[in-house]
Amino acid sequence: MPDVTVTTLQELKQKGEKITMLTAYDATFARAACQAGVEVLLVGDSLGMVVQGQDSTLPVTIQEMAYHTGCVKRGNQGALIVTDLSFMSYATLEQTLVNSALVMQAGAHMVKLEGGASLAPAVQRLAENGVPVCMHMGLTPQSVNVLGGYKVQGRGDAQARQLRADAIALEQAGAALLLLECVPSELAAEISQAVRIPVIGIGAGAGTDGQVLVVHDMLGLSLTGRTPKFVKNFMAGQTSIQAAFEAYVTAVKDGSFPAAEHGFSA
């Protein structure tokens, strides 16, 4: 697979071909995902829960994000690497620039921030400094204590209007990618059509430009025993992890995943 860039993702959106993204935290899984044709590897702060055994993403440090980014880089074979900036590591513009440099120098090609239009100045400044940005909207796990739990976002006219407005503002500020988590399927499809940049969904229906899952979830692994509604176990019926990755890529590309039951209504 040739190296995937921001331009590659833009071209996939324009062609109407779905983009595949999976989380990766180490070299071995990164290599396997690449060999299955996954275009984007997300070094997510979800590692706090699935790797470290924490009860949220909040304890993860930016140094840990940089460490795992380096691991993924060494296993990568042409995918675009996106790395989360961890909780409170982008509270000020100075922090945002310093910590983005840290993970980019560790091997990321793009950084991911959680939030809405209030982060537009940071997005603009990063883009001006050569750092592509993915904005994570909807259910933002770092804000779980403000949101009152892991709840679907964008239900109701006011929330829906705010999400649409934020998406457009962030695109105008220079965001290269949007990620919508736990957003009603119809709203996610509307936002995907309203912006020119690619939109990746998780629990956001089939109308987005691509999909992402936490790798442990899609392999049927869970510390808690709870499986989110938007997850499908791609290990079921497969004889290897590699085959499960390939099944995921095929299902996203042909539109069979996510199915209606993996999404949320308004």
Side-chain angles (χ1 to χ4, degrees):
M1 182 172 70
D3 285 357
V4 175
T5 66
V6 171
T7 303
T8 311
L9 302 184
Q10 191 71 54
E11 290 170 348
L12 289 173
K13 173 166 179 143
Q14 290 167 356
K15 289 192 298 184
E17 180 179 339
K18 298 294 186 181
I19 298 163
T20 58
M21 178 190 283
L22 279 176
T23 65
Y25 316 104
D26 62 38
T28 304
F29 275 76
R31 179 68 52 87
C34 289
Q35 290 174 345
V38 172
E39 284 111 358
V40 186
L41 299 176
L42 172 60
V43 186
D45 58 2
S46 48
L47 70 88
M49 301 166 86
V50 299
V51 176
Q52 297 177 341
Q54 309 279 9
D55 60 4
S56 76
T57 63
L58 273 57
V60 180
T61 67
I62 195 65
Q63 289 78 18
E64 289 167 341
M65 294 308 305
Y67 168 80
H68 284 277
T69 298
C71 295
V72 168
K73 177 191 177 184
R74 290 185 284 277
N76 186 36
Q77 290 185 321
L80 184 84
I81 299 174
V82 180
T83 296
D84 279 340
L85 294 192
S86 54
F87 178 66
M88 290 295 289
S89 69
Y90 50 102
T92 68
L93 187 55
E94 183 180 4
Q95 278 183 312
T96 306
L97 295 172
V98 169
N99 290 324
S100 294
L102 183 68
V103 298
M104 293 288 284
Q105 288 169 342
H109 303 115
M110 183 184 293
V111 300
K112 181 161 78 64
L113 283 61
E114 295 184 7
S118 64
L119 287 170
V123 172
Q124 182 175 350
R125 191 70 175 274
L126 286 170
E128 289 169 352
N129 282 277
V131 180
V133 180
C134 172
M135 286 304 305
H136 185 152
M137 302 170 62
L139 171 56
T140 48
Q142 290 178 11
S143 303
V144 65
N145 292 309
V146 173
L147 298 175
Y150 296 96
K151 301 176 181 178
V152 177
Q153 302 296 308
R155 283 179 166 155
D157 290 344
Q159 270 200 6
R161 279 196 302 272
Q162 188 65 59
L163 268 177
R164 276 191 293 264
D166 282 3
I168 291 167
L170 290 165
E171 177 187 30
Q172 291 172 344
L177 196 64
L178 295 180
L179 190 152
L180 298 178
E181 179 171 356
C182 291
V183 170
S185 300
E186 187 176 343
L187 174 60
E190 289 174 11
I191 291 172
S192 300
Q193 292 166 4
V195 297
R196 294 181 301 276
I197 58 177
V199 178
I200 307 297
I202 177 166
T208 56
D209 303 305
Q211 298 294 324
V212 62
L213 284 176
V214 172
V215 67
H216 295 68
D217 287 346
M218 58 84 68
L219 293 175
L221 298 171
S222 171
L223 281 173
T224 64
R226 296 192 302 271
T227 302
K229 171 185 168 71
F230 52 78
V231 170
K232 177 179 177 179
N233 180 359
F234 283 90
M235 196 66 205
Q238 303 297 336
T239 57
S240 69
I241 288 172
Q242 189 67 47
F245 286 171
E246 291 167 4
Y248 169 73
V249 170
T250 297
V252 173
K253 293 287 186 183
D254 69 18
S256 60
F257 178 80
E261 67 263 24
H262 298 117
F264 299 95
S265 58

